[in-house]
Every structure is written in C-alpha cells, then in structure tokens.
Amino acid sequence: MSTNYFEGQKQVVAINMANLTELAQTLLTNGPHKLEKTSRRVRALYDRIYIFDTTEARHVWEHPFFPQFYVPSTAVKKGLLTKNESVDKEESAFLATLKSERKSTDRVISFEKGPLGGLVRFEFAALGMMRKLNLEGSLHIDDYKTLGSRKIYQYTGNADLEISISHPKDPYKRIEILPSSRTITAKVDGVTIAESTNNQFLFETMLRTRHYMPKTAARWEFLAESETISTCPYKGVANYYNVVVNGKEYKDLVWWYKYPTTESTPIAGHMCFYNEKVDIYIDGVKEEK
C-alpha cells in the first residue's frame, strides 16, 4: 500500500507503487482505471538532454484518484532505454533502465502488450525532477516547466516555474474559489484558533469545501510551524502548521500556500484548517466532520 497526501486529506491507493513489478502485473491483469489521449506537448529533460518530446502522451489512471503521463516508446530518444527482465511469462511488459551519459535509473516500465502496449512509464521523481532549481531534470507540459514530485522541496517563486506538480492535472476535475463574508470559526479542543468574515471558499471536484481564512485571523500563540510540505497541481506547494492547545500538539491541522498557482491566487495569504480534524463553525453552525 502507498499513501498519497493531498493537503491534509490522506488517500490510500491499493497498488504498491514502489514495486514496479507488482504495479505492472496489476495493470496487465486488471487494466488501468482509465486511459485517454492528451493533446498536450510533454517533454522530459534529463541529464541536459530531452529524453522524449511528444504530443502523443496518454493520461493513465493507475488508480481512481489522478492520472500519470505515459509516453509512446517511439517518442523516447534512441539508445537511452534498455529493457531488463519481463514482469510475466508472456513478456507483456518489461522493467527498463534509462541511461544517459552521466546518470541512470531503473524506475521505468515498458509495456509491449495489452491496452498499454507501446507505452513507457517513467517515474519522474526518480529522474531527479523534484529538484526545483535543477536544470538537468524537469518535465515540461505545453512549454511550461513543471515538476514530478511532491516531496520536501520548498517552492522558490522562480520565474521560470509555472506550477509544481505531484501528478498531471485531472481533466475531469476543477477548482473554483469564491469570496465569502460568512463567519468561519475554527476550534480545537474547544479553543478558538481562528475566526473570520473575510474568507475564500475553495470548491474542488469530489472534495469537500475548504474554507481559507486570512492569516491575520489566527491566534498565533496556538500555532507552530511544521516541517511537512505537500504539493497540489491545482494550487501549488503547501506549508503546514501544528496546533498546540491545552498542552497537546495536533500535527498538520493547518496549511497555506505561499506562492499559489495562477488559478489559485485568491488563496494567497490565507490558511485553511483541516475540516475533518478541526471543529469548523459556519455562521455559528458546526460543520459535520
């Protein structure tokens, strides 16, 4: 089992993403949850060379939550990819190694048969694409440089970075941010941590409404910086705060985006409390967790 974090909401994916053999076998047996063409131009820069540059990539849902990019094997620069052992007796898919002049990674699957036949899955984090200022490893979508990891690297606001992603955007999901003057109160263990009538309500497909309050609305004596960082392809890189109240510390109950993506600029300077773990009151009415 692997765990994916989306700004406070934990999703459990029933595929062992770390075990590429198991992942490939599962996809061969059950097929992907969804497979679609995308007209986006997708390029990957690795060790100072583009290992592929294609408008024939596929959105592949390995699980129900979000897609990944798979690229045609014919789009991969010749001489860089070597097939290793097959994942099954039918040789439907192979583990593979990507090797450039100075670097290599074996976090690659090359599919030969089935619905994913002719496609290659690269693990972009393993290619070093989480390093925000590393020009040797980056993923470009429609000519914007993006990233392939949601790990612990802080966003710098560098002008050549449009967004930071943990996965491609799902074409079936969207966000909408609307201002609200309703009174939002956040309480932990009966103590009011923040209250505001100048909020931003963020609506995201298939997720509950998130209430973003100005950071000035918080009682900072109860907040302590957390080392946790997560990313969202729609909003950017999130930092977190722990809540300390009545002698107890509650981890990562609050997140905020210092440099949100362009589409999410209304939440800049705002913080959001984890609805599922904090008592949220809307105009005095307690929200269900």
Side-chain angles (χ1 to χ4, degrees):
M1 303 285 284
S2 73
T3 303
N4 295 273
Y5 292 92
F6 305 93
E7 48 169 54
Q9 184 163 359
K10 185 167 72 173
Q11 306 265 19
V12 179
V13 179
I15 299 177
N16 185 352
M17 311 301 285
N19 188 321
L20 293 186
T21 298
E22 181 180 328
L23 172 61
Q25 291 172 343
T26 299
L27 292 172
L28 288 170
T29 301
N30 302 326
H33 286 261
K34 193 184 298 182
L35 169 65
E36 292 185 354
K37 292 182 178 180
T38 174
S39 60
R40 290 180 176 275
R41 182 188 185 187
V42 181
R43 299 179 290 165
L45 184 66
Y46 180 66
D47 195 15
R48 301 177 186 268
I49 61 172
Y50 284 104
I51 59 176
F52 61 80
D53 183 346
T54 182
T55 57
E56 299 293 329
R58 301 292 190 272
H59 276 135
V60 177
W61 282 259
E62 301 169 337
H63 46 70
F65 304 115
F66 52 79
Q68 295 290 353
F69 282 125
Y70 283 42
V71 299
S73 57
T74 53
V76 181
K77 188 176 178 65
K78 292 183 179 180
L80 297 181
L81 204 60
T82 302
K83 293 179 184 177
N84 300 324
E85 65 272 20
S86 175
V87 303
D88 63 0
K89 295 180 180 179
E90 290 75 26
E91 297 189 340
S92 302
F94 293 82
L95 301 182
T97 298
L98 174 69
K99 184 177 177 61
S100 63
E101 182 178 346
R102 299 176 300 171
K103 298 181 178 181
S104 68
T105 177
D106 58 2
R107 303 294 296 174
V108 183
I109 306 174
S110 179
F111 289 89
E112 301 293 316
K113 302 176 183 178
L116 299 176
L119 297 177
V120 179
R121 179 196 191 271
F122 292 94
E123 189 169 289
F124 295 112
L127 301 184
M129 294 180 185
M130 75 287 283
R131 298 177 185 172
K132 300 188 179 298
L133 299 180
N134 177 9
L135 298 181
E136 298 180 2
S138 58
L139 180 66
H140 298 248
I141 304 172
D142 291 344
D143 294 328
Y144 284 111
K145 185 190 295 183
T146 60
L147 305 172
S149 173
R150 57 171 176 77
K151 295 192 178 180
I152 57 171
Y153 296 87
Q154 177 65 288
Y155 184 67
T156 63
N158 194 348
D160 67 352
L161 298 182
E162 172 68 8
I163 55 173
S164 299
I165 64 169
S166 53
H167 56 84
K169 290 183 178 180
D170 189 325
Y172 296 98
K173 295 182 179 180
R174 66 184 294 268
I175 63 170
E176 183 177 16
I177 303 172
L178 299 175
S180 174
S181 60
R182 301 176 71 183
T183 301
I184 303 298
T185 306
K187 294 185 178 183
V188 177
D189 198 15
V191 178
T192 298
I193 309 300
E195 186 170 76
S196 172
T197 57
N198 182 21
N199 311 294
Q200 298 289 338
F201 282 17
L202 190 148
F203 303 90
E204 185 170 349
T205 307
M206 298 179 67
L207 296 179
R208 67 188 301 168
T209 304
R210 300 299 188 186
H211 312 105
Y212 283 81
M213 293 185 275
K215 297 183 74 176
T216 53
R219 297 176 65 185
W220 286 93
E221 66 267 28
F222 296 116
L223 299 181
E225 288 190 12
S226 167
E227 294 183 355
T228 300
I229 294 176
S230 67
T231 71
C232 169
Y234 309 96
K235 297 182 286 294
V237 179
N239 294 88
Y240 288 74
Y241 292 105
N242 302 325
V243 175
V244 183
V245 64
N246 295 332
K248 183 176 179 180
E249 182 179 56
Y250 299 84
K251 294 284 189 180
D252 300 332
L253 293 190
V254 188
W255 63 81
W256 68 290
Y257 293 88
K258 185 176 182 180
Y259 300 106
T261 60
T262 301
E263 64 189 306
S264 296
T265 50
I267 63 173
H270 289 64
M271 58 170 50
C272 183
F273 285 80
Y274 192 175
N275 310 49
E276 292 85 346
K277 295 184 178 181
V278 173
D279 293 328
I280 299 293
Y281 293 80
I282 303 176
D283 289 336
V285 179
K286 186 176 180 181
E287 183 186 51
E288 292 186 7
K289 292 185 179 179

